[in-house]
Amino acid sequence: MAGRELPDYPWDLMVPYRERAAAHPDGAVDLSIGSPVDETPAVVREALAAASDAHAYPQTVGTDELRDEIVAWFARRRGVTGLGRENVLPTVGSKELVALLPFLLGLGEGDVVVHPKAAYPSYEMGAVLAGATAMASDDPAEWPAETRLVWLNSPGNPDGRVLSIDELRAARERALELDAVIVGDECYAELGWSGEWADTPVPSLLDPRVVGDSRRNTLVAYSLSKQSNMAGYRTAFLAGCRSVVGRLTNVRKHAGLMLAQPLQQAMIAALRDDAHVAEQKARYRARRELLLPALEAAGFRIDRSEAGLYLWASEGRDAWESIGRLAELGIIGGPGHFYGVHYPEHVRLSLTASDERIAAAAERLRAAAGS
């Protein structure tokens, strides 16, 4: 990073709004960050404790047991069959993977990394860290010949957008034309809410209807932070093209990137237990059903948001004005400006607050609507 300047951390701009929200008589309701507040499931914590005698170095590729469990999970929960141990790799959280992937793939000056227009900032930062060029685009026809990595995010953060099978297939076909690696960030895949995704699983980039009989240059990233309240564990994994997984594994071995052995056992427990995932989804659904109509009553329009952990809302004015109005109500949101230049009138509101705090936010929004 010598000689390369990084931008200021954008969330520092939120300090005065946080202070304003904290002055509310009933305290602040922080809906700005998607960090889980509910307990990590007991089955996960018990597995972690039982594996605490971890005196030997873990392997970069993870244990056979963990890789087999990831393979089984993809088949059971995502409809992705035919994977083997050589197709999967655990990572130290998904943010590490997103930020380091351009570097791990050997990208640099002259290479282009494509990411969604409404995007988690780490896609762009990964390109910057590697010296590559980031490009925000949702249209495969726009992707230039220099494209070497394409990020899809479905369900999307911040907008909750879900890409259909046809959209996924079109993006992948264009990436293959460019000989680029394409990666689906699917960390919110278990959290579908409305439209066809209320009862139908959100499709995966590795779905056979997308890739056919070849996974060439195609990967999916997944995290247990959201579905299992394991953000503090930093447990994630990727799956897909065997040759790309092999390249990444080799670089990660040289860099000493490996997941702690007790955390691997915690992952196995989480992946095997579907019951806690259903319970957590029910919590988020209840919070969403309380917060969404209150926002609409207060004059916000909810766009996309058919899946994921957030409501993508707009009053039709600059996001900072909306952030200020919410702060007066003691509510902290995230301005659309933090997720690219294309949505300056949107705010992101997270469902990761306690039932009591979500109820407080809904009450304040309804009261503001009636004033």
Side-chain angles (χ1 to χ4, degrees):
M1 283 306 299
R4 188 176 303 147
E5 292 291 333
L6 291 178
D8 293 335
Y9 191 60
W11 286 97
D12 291 344
L13 299 174
M14 287 293 299
V15 170
Y17 298 96
R18 289 183 174 278
E19 292 174 348
R20 194 183 311 173
H24 191 278
D26 188 35
V29 178
D30 192 348
L31 306 181
S32 64
I33 304 295
S35 183
V37 299
D38 302 303
E39 288 188 354
T40 303
V43 66
V44 173
R45 288 180 280 137
E46 290 165 3
L48 179 71
S52 60
D53 179 16
H55 45 272
Y57 287 112
Q59 293 186 331
T60 297
V61 295
T63 64
D64 288 349
E65 185 182 15
L66 173 57
R67 286 187 287 170
D68 288 344
E69 207 59 51
I70 293 172
V71 167
W73 179 86
F74 266 105
R76 186 178 75 253
R77 302 299 300 184
R78 306 295 289 125
V80 176
T81 57
L83 297 176
R85 292 174 182 171
E86 69 278 6
N87 298 109
V88 300
L89 180 67
T91 65
V92 188
S94 58
K95 187 169 184 177
E96 169 254 290
L97 174 65
V98 171
L100 288 183
L101 190 58
F103 164 76
L104 296 174
L105 291 172
L107 272 58
E109 186 176 354
D111 296 325
V112 173
V113 176
V114 172
H115 61 77
K117 284 186 174 180
Y120 181 58
S122 292
Y123 303 128
E124 180 180 2
M125 283 301 99
V128 170
L129 291 169
T133 299
M135 176 183 179
S137 173
D138 296 324
D139 182 0
E142 297 177 343
W143 303 347
E146 297 80 14
T147 301
R148 293 294 172 264
L149 173 62
V150 175
W151 282 105
L152 303 181
N153 183 203
S154 177
N157 172 12
D159 61 353
R161 176 188 181 190
V162 176
L163 298 176
S164 67
I165 290 292
D166 289 343
E167 289 172 314
L168 292 169
R169 187 187 300 115
R172 181 176 185 265
E173 289 174 354
R174 176 58 175 159
L176 292 181
E177 288 176 5
L178 298 167
D179 197 28
V181 172
I182 184 168
V183 188
D185 180 347
E186 300 178 356
C187 294
Y188 302 92
E190 291 278 7
L191 302 175
W193 306 120
S194 60
E196 62 183 301
W197 314 120
D199 302 307
T200 303
V202 171
S204 173
L205 182 62
L206 288 176
D207 190 297
R209 293 170 292 175
V210 176
V211 299
D213 59 2
S214 171
R215 290 183 288 268
R216 182 170 71 88
N217 278 7
T218 307
L219 299 174
V220 158
Y222 198 79
S223 168
L224 299 183
S225 295
K226 285 40 174 187
Q227 72 167 47
S228 301
N229 298 327
M230 293 174 66
Y233 283 57
R234 311 314 302 136
T235 46
F237 49 88
L238 59 84
C241 177
R242 177 174 57 187
S243 63
V244 178
V245 170
R247 287 164 54 195
L248 297 176
T249 299
N250 187 47
V251 179
R252 293 173 67 85
K253 285 179 178 178
H254 284 291
L257 296 172
M258 61 191 79
L259 188 65
Q261 182 68 31
L263 297 179
Q264 294 189 43
Q265 292 303 123
M267 284 183 72
I268 291 168
L271 289 166
R272 285 177 177 168
D273 182 64
D274 293 339
H276 79 270
V277 180
E279 291 172 2
Q280 187 58 43
K281 182 174 182 177
R283 293 187 190 102
Y284 284 137
R285 184 186 297 278
R287 292 167 187 167
R288 183 179 185 275
E289 291 177 350
L290 191 61
L291 186 60
L292 190 155
L295 283 165
E296 291 179 327
F300 285 88
R301 182 187 73 246
I302 308 301
D303 291 331
R304 305 304 308 221
S305 307
E306 57 259 37
L309 274 182
Y310 311 103
L311 293 174
W312 190 229
S314 175
E315 293 184 283
R317 57 177 173 170
D318 188 86
W320 285 115
E321 295 180 32
S322 295
I323 291 295
R325 180 192 175 201
L326 290 169
E328 292 295 335
L329 300 175
I331 300 170
I332 306 169
H337 301 286
F338 288 1
Y339 306 97
V341 301
H342 301 280
Y343 296 92
E345 295 183 347
H346 280 73
V347 296
R348 191 193 76 168
L349 296 153
S350 174
L351 304 177
T352 56
S354 68
D355 293 345
E356 184 274 330
R357 289 286 83 186
I358 291 286
E363 182 178 354
R364 294 175 194 181
L365 288 162
R366 286 194 298 266
S371 62

